Amino acid sequence: MHGATRPHARSRAYLHRTVVAPAVVTGATGRSRPIAHSGQAVRRRPPRDEFRYFLDHQGRQHFNFTQRVWLDASVQMACTRVYSTALATLAVNLLTYATRARDCQAAVGFTSRRALALAPAFSRECLLSAPDQAWVLSKAAIRAWLDSHRRGRKPQCAR
């Protein structure tokens, strides 16, 4: 037993070489993509008036809407404290829900060129300044933000 590695010492050293990121859960079922039942895809209705986000007690992210667009097929949308592909994907999904145009194919799904172009500004002005634990964005607020960028006014995001 003298030469054996203690389990807790080995695991502590192993943890220093890993990166921990919270799992992202969307909707009530915890799946980010629709699953097939009897050959048919399950469709969840998009939120009508509000988009919600919160962290549960285990640090997992939850959204009340389904991710429909992936900018990178391997990266799910997520709230991050810095601009990232996950945050840009979240921004594109929110902007896509708030607009009707679908004139651009992403890595997975369809969105609009405008949503892709405005995702960095929307992330910077609305998502990076959002509370860490939870937020609510109304569809009307997102549309007003989109309109303000069309007219060149300084946007304000409501929470």
Side-chain angles (χ1 to χ4, degrees):
M1 186 90 181
H2 182 45
T5 304
R6 295 181 310 188
H8 69 286
R10 181 174 179 253
S11 63
R12 209 176 306 142
Y14 180 74
L15 288 175
H16 290 293
R17 293 187 303 241
T18 62
V19 176
V20 179
V24 178
V25 178
T26 60
T29 64
R31 290 185 170 84
S32 62
R33 294 183 186 182
I35 55 174
H37 293 284
S38 304
Q40 293 188 5
V42 175
R43 290 185 165 255
R44 283 186 233 139
R45 290 180 167 239
R48 291 192 173 173
D49 299 322
E50 296 181 328
F51 300 95
R52 296 177 177 268
Y53 158 82
F54 73 94
L55 284 177
D56 67 15
H57 66 280
Q58 295 176 331
R60 294 181 0 165
Q61 297 186 10
H62 297 264
F63 300 92
N64 73 330
F65 57 97
T66 304
Q67 179 176 348
R68 293 189 173 177
V69 178
W70 280 257
L71 300 179
D72 178 321
S74 65
V75 179
Q76 288 186 328
M77 66 181 183
C79 270
T80 58
R81 296 313 312 153
V82 296
Y83 189 72
S84 63
T85 302
L87 188 67
T89 302
L90 174 59
V92 167
N93 274 273
L94 288 166
L95 294 170
T96 299
Y97 270 111
T99 61
R100 294 179 190 235
R102 303 289 185 273
D103 58 3
C104 185
Q105 184 171 1
V108 177
F110 288 88
T111 186
S112 69
R113 287 183 177 90
R114 187 166 182 236
L116 288 173
L118 290 174
F122 186 76
S123 296
R124 185 177 55 254
E125 296 169 18
C126 298
L127 298 177
L128 286 174
S129 61
D132 290 336
Q133 299 297 314
W135 48 253
V136 176
L137 282 173
S138 70
K139 191 179 279 189
I142 296 170
R143 285 184 177 151
W145 185 91
L146 284 164
D147 288 344
S148 71
H149 272 71
R150 183 181 343 227
R151 294 184 212 128
R153 289 185 292 155
K154 183 74 175 164
Q156 296 291 322
C157 281
R159 294 209 206 322

